[in-house]
Amino acid sequence: MIGDFALLATTARGNERAMVNEILYLLKDELGDTQAQAAKTKVRGLIVAKTFLDPLEVIEKFRAILTERPYEFRYAIRIVPIQRVVPTDLAEIKKVTEELAAKIGETQTFRVTVEKRFTELHSRDIIQAAAGDIKRSVDLHNPDLILQIEVLGAQTGISLIKPNDILAVVKEKML
């Protein structure tokens, strides 16, 4: 698995290899990142990709491609931008989330979303480590920002994103 991934993509089980090829095509041929890498993970239906482009800009560009040419996305279900990757350790998660939380404005609300795979850590403990010291309002239903925490065994991807920064390919194709 790629260590410092910038994108996490879901696909149907059994389509991982096709999804790797799809995201590499999109990153290399459509966006021009010749150094892009992608790989399967231990989790069925989940791949990671490394790009030297800003992951949030990649999502915007993918969304534009999806609007113009939805047939380019055959295997992707969801693509999540990842800003930082750390070892799966509560102290490391806390350190990075504190850095990212500094970008939350005083009047903005936030929510912590945890997706965990292959870990003994409890979601409650991850949320407490991530958000325990953030002095901003929490809104679980309609937050301005989401502190997205994606645990993949020994590695954890963390992002501070707007709700629409996750590309929900299947939903957006239906619009």
Side-chain angles (χ1 to χ4, degrees), residues 124-159:
R124 177 184 62 243
D125 296 333
I126 296 169
I127 292 168
Q128 181 59 40
D133 296 332
I134 300 174
K135 306 292 188 243
R136 298 290 182 260
S137 297
V138 174
D139 184 340
L140 299 177
H141 302 291
N142 192 22
D144 296 316
L145 296 168
I146 298 171
L147 197 53
Q148 186 79 27
I149 301 173
E150 298 277 350
V151 180
L152 294 173
Q155 294 180 303
T156 298
I158 304 171
S159 294

Side-chain angles (χ1 to χ4, degrees), residues 8 92 104 155 163:
L8 187 94
E92 290 288 330
I104 302 174
Q155 294 180 303

Side-chain angles (χ1 to χ4, degrees), residues 1-52:
M1 188 172 93
I2 299 169
D4 51 348
F5 55 93
L7 299 169
L8 187 94
T10 60
T11 188
R13 288 181 180 192
N15 286 343
E16 295 88 358
R17 188 176 310 277
M19 183 63 221
V20 165
N21 292 332
E22 180 174 290
I23 205 158
L24 283 175
Y25 163 76
L26 290 165
L27 288 170
K28 289 182 175 185
D29 296 352
E30 293 291 330
L31 303 186
D33 182 358
T34 58
Q35 303 296 312
Q37 300 173 17
K40 298 190 298 184
T41 66
K42 294 179 193 174
V43 182
R44 287 188 186 146
L46 194 69
I47 68 133
V48 291
K50 178 179 180 177
T51 178
F52 293 97

Side-chain angles (χ1 to χ4, degrees), residues 98-109:
E98 284 176 352
E99 290 171 21
L100 292 174
K103 299 175 185 172
I104 302 174
E106 287 189 28
T107 59
Q108 289 182 306
T109 59

